[in-house]
Amino acid sequence: MDSSCNGVRDKTEFVTIGKFNEMHLLSDYRFLEDAGRLVDCAARDRLLPRQTSNKFLNFMKNRARKHSIDLKILPIGFAKRKMNSTYFHKKEQRFYWHVKFQFPQSEAEYTEKGVPDNKILHKILERYIDPTESDPVIRQRLQIYTSSPSGVKVFMVLDQKKLGLGRYVELDLQKSLLDNLHNKTVIEFPTLCVVLKDFAGDFATCGQASIC
């Protein structure tokens, strides 16, 4: 047995036409999608403000407070502080949020940057779980969601040690991200847990307020 084998196929390995099958096609498609996504993320990152001065962070907190959002900024060195790409667009007078999505029934997580605060929550989720509009690669990973007849519920994580254990507040799919964050505490950026309705009872909620 080759001890150097890690069980993962080399995505750039040459495969003859005779041996090329649907699994190779799907793998190549995912490889191209991943490459495209990395290029897109790199381009977006160059456009996103990266100010970390106290003046800028206080400005962000004050703007959030005007929208009745209690934005907490962690000290330098914390992982969430380092990865947070949220910024406030002065001309548009709008937040563009860094959002983390958890899909516990598929054991999957995704991060999206630059989510406008006026976008309706169910529209934000389209690229993940819509049966026709979602990203094909993501759709394959989240198949249990895209094929579920019962639909989903979305909870914002208030604190969490592991999925299902912590405090959550249910959000309204028909409201904007801004409206959903109203009167809530956000530590750096929102983490949203997307749950099939059949499993929603496993998540302890704290009502509409962020304190419980």
Side-chain angles (χ1 to χ4, degrees), residues 59-71 88 95 97:
F59 168 77
M60 293 272 288
K61 291 169 68 175
N62 289 334
R63 286 295 176 177
R65 193 176 298 116
K66 287 186 176 181
H67 292 292
S68 300
I69 301 171
D70 183 14
L71 178 61
F88 185 82
F95 273 99
W97 288 95

Side-chain angles (χ1 to χ4, degrees), residues 60-73 97 156 181-189 210-211:
M60 293 272 288
K61 291 169 68 175
N62 289 334
R63 286 295 176 177
R65 193 176 298 116
K66 287 186 176 181
H67 292 292
S68 300
I69 301 171
D70 183 14
L71 178 61
K72 303 291 188 183
I73 303 295
W97 288 95
M156 189 176 87
L181 296 181
H182 185 76
N183 286 335
K184 295 180 179 66
T185 297
V186 177
I187 302 176
E188 289 287 349
F189 54 83
S210 62
I211 300 175

Side-chain angles (χ1 to χ4, degrees), residues 9 11 20-37 134-140:
R9 185 179 79 84
K11 295 180 181 180
F20 196 83
N21 56 34
E22 289 187 2
M23 290 301 296
H24 292 108
L25 179 62
L26 180 59
S27 178
D28 288 351
Y29 178 78
R30 286 178 173 172
F31 177 75
L32 292 173
E33 285 285 320
D34 289 343
R37 193 173 296 109
S134 58
D135 178 289
V137 176
I138 296 177
R139 187 189 311 154
Q140 180 73 17

Side-chain angles (χ1 to χ4, degrees), residues 13 25-26 50-51 90 102 142 156 181 183 195 211:
E13 181 183 8
L25 179 62
L26 180 59
R50 288 296 181 183
Q51 295 169 283
K90 291 184 179 180
Q102 298 176 338
L142 303 180
M156 189 176 87
L181 296 181
N183 286 335
V195 183
I211 300 175

Side-chain angles (χ1 to χ4, degrees), residues 102-110 138 140-146 194 196:
Q102 298 176 338
F103 297 88
Q105 278 72 64
S106 291
E107 298 183 347
E109 290 187 351
Y110 297 95
I138 296 177
Q140 180 73 17
R141 178 76 185 275
L142 303 180
Q143 192 171 11
I144 190 173
Y145 285 87
T146 58
V194 185
L196 293 176

Side-chain angles (χ1 to χ4, degrees), residues 124-187:
I124 297 173
L125 291 175
E126 276 187 355
R127 74 181 297 261
Y128 300 96
I129 60 175
D130 187 274
T132 57
E133 300 297 325
S134 58
D135 178 289
V137 176
I138 296 177
R139 187 189 311 154
Q140 180 73 17
R141 178 76 185 275
L142 303 180
Q143 192 171 11
I144 190 173
Y145 285 87
T146 58
S147 61
S148 172
S150 64
V152 301
K153 287 192 174 186
V154 179
F155 300 91
M156 189 176 87
V157 178
L158 302 180
D159 61 57
Q160 180 186 63
K161 293 182 178 179
K162 62 180 181 178
L163 284 177
L165 296 178
R167 297 185 305 152
Y168 304 83
V169 58
E170 186 174 353
L171 304 185
D172 190 332
L173 284 163
Q174 305 305 319
K175 291 184 177 181
S176 68
L177 182 59
L178 178 63
D179 288 339
N180 272 300
L181 296 181
H182 185 76
N183 286 335
K184 295 180 179 66
T185 297
V186 177
I187 302 176

